[in-house]
Amino acid sequence: MWFTQVTLRLVASFLAVSTFVPRLAQAFTSYPDDFVNPNYMLARHYPGNTGGAQFSILKWADFLAAQGPWTVIDKPVVPPSGDLHDYMSWSPYSWPNCSALGNTTELPLPQVWAECPYYLRDGLFNPDVRMINNTGHFNAMADAVWMNSLAWAMTRINRYAQNAATFLNVWFLQNSTAMNPNLVYSQMRRGPGKGQMGAHTGELDLKCMAKIANAILILRNGNSIHWTSDMDQGMINWCQSFIEWLTTYWIALEEAMAPNNHGSYYYAQLASHYLIVNDTEGAKRAIQTYFTTTYMSQITASGEQPLEARRTRPYHYRAYNLIAMITNARIGEYLGLNYWNWTGNEGAGIKAALDYAMTIPPGTENADELYQPIAGVAAKYGDPDNKYANFLADVDPRYPAAPYFLWSQPFSDSGLPAARPGWSQKRDSSASKSALGGSATLSAILSVALGFITWWG
């Protein structure tokens, strides 16, 4: 164990001071959600083919930490309550039509928001939504907290735990910057007579609470010196208040009844809050409710997800809901529940849904949205004929360097060089030309170091 700690510290120290690692091990991708068993991360007995994934986590953690902290009060528009501490977002697929106003000049934005009727255009993102970027800031904060907690679990280097704790403190706990525990003004629909209340779809804005819960469990169970008892109690208090809102307020209850991905993420979010407040039974109830109600009608006998397939971006939404299903199953497994082989009303389950989604070409959509759930399914159900590994190797030769590869185990790396820490095609091709101390040398050092870590255990 001492060798593992020393070597990982060496690797992270190289990353902290290095100016000659030319890019991230793999380009940063924000996963919609996921949950890693904290015991797995804290035990640090990672398979020998996960060096590339470990390296990416360390790089992503540093990359994200440099951008924080984030706060809910950082927005140019005040919520209807007059309190900047209230979370606020606008409906992302709503667009204005000002043609009936009879104006001859361009309207000021506040007048557009208040007087022009807004219409839903499913799947078409209105870019002005990001003027109030509480959603983007929360997602960035969650990613930074998650990656830095994972990096701390791997290395026990305190700067990673300190980063995660700082970002959580600024967003949730610090009086001057803390978010109020509600989503009353999330995904507000603008226009005449509207815009004063959020919609149930806005509960999705906090979909990645599983990452937050995951990070807190790692810091708490790992006894990080930077996760103090005051911070822990503060998060418990905040989440208890939010649970009360999420389980009683009318727009939250509407989201609980959503039959599609919204319902899937609602229960993942609810279970995550219960995990933070140490209510194991509450978390179990949330996961059990999802799999015995919402989930039951989400997958047809063929594996199709009809409620996601009817959307304007069906490839995205199939993958999106699959990730929520897998997150719920992983949280359930951590709680001692096994829903991996649970099937819906038509006899199909998570694996069938993934297998079906793999048969559909992405078209103009982002193909990589399916890669994370492919690895998750392969690790849980097995890949004896290498169907999943071959698929990923064909479409993304760098998949063994993706962070999800670390916890989607056991799973083949297809013999790809990306499984080596710090690998890049550019560095490999220039290795013979690099001088001592150059990037290829660093890559070699890190490869040996992380190789010893996974071998030593």
Side-chain angles (χ1 to χ4, degrees), residues 345-362:
N345 292 331
E346 297 192 26
I350 293 173
K351 183 178 183 297
L354 185 278
D355 288 342
Y356 183 88
M358 288 172 62
T359 68
I360 307 298

Side-chain angles (χ1 to χ4, degrees), residues 24 26-31 60 63-64 67 139-140 143-144 147:
L24 296 179
Q26 189 181 66
F28 172 70
T29 299
S30 179
Y31 303 149
W60 287 18
F63 168 74
L64 292 164
Q67 301 172 38
N139 288 339
D143 284 329
M147 283 294 140

Side-chain angles (χ1 to χ4, degrees), residues 90-134:
W90 283 328
S91 176
Y93 300 149
S94 293
W95 292 76
N97 182 348
C98 302
S99 58
L101 269 61
N103 56 296
T104 57
T105 59
E106 184 175 354
L107 297 174
L109 285 176
Q111 188 176 354
V112 173
W113 303 336
E115 299 180 16
C116 296
Y118 274 72
Y119 299 92
L120 185 65
R121 301 173 70 182
D122 185 37
L124 188 60
F125 190 87
N126 186 341
D128 82 347
V129 166
R130 287 296 184 240
M131 288 183 62
I132 303 175
N133 203 21
N134 279 177

Side-chain angles (χ1 to χ4, degrees), residues 200-254:
H200 73 86
T201 54
E203 314 328 296
L204 197 62
D205 284 8
L206 263 60
K207 64 182 180 298
C208 46
M209 274 304 297
K211 301 177 189 177
I212 299 293
N214 206 173
I216 290 174
L217 290 175
I218 287 171
L219 297 175
R220 177 190 290 165
N221 298 349
N223 298 313
S224 166
I225 62 172
H226 290 287
W227 189 246
T228 66
S229 58
D230 286 346
M231 292 186 68
D232 197 59
Q233 189 59 52
M235 281 304 304
I236 289 172
N237 294 343
W238 194 96
C239 289
Q240 284 175 334
S241 296
F242 192 86
I243 289 170
E244 175 68 19
W245 184 87
L246 193 61
T247 56
T248 60
Y249 200 75
W250 66 272
I251 58 175
L253 295 178
E254 283 188 358

Side-chain angles (χ1 to χ4, degrees), residues 76 88 121 133 175 186 321 326 330 387 407 433 444 447:
M88 181 180 175
R121 301 173 70 182
N133 203 21
N175 287 337
S186 59
N321 195 43
I326 290 171
R330 282 178 163 161
K387 176 178 75 172
W407 56 85
K433 304 177 183 178
S447 297

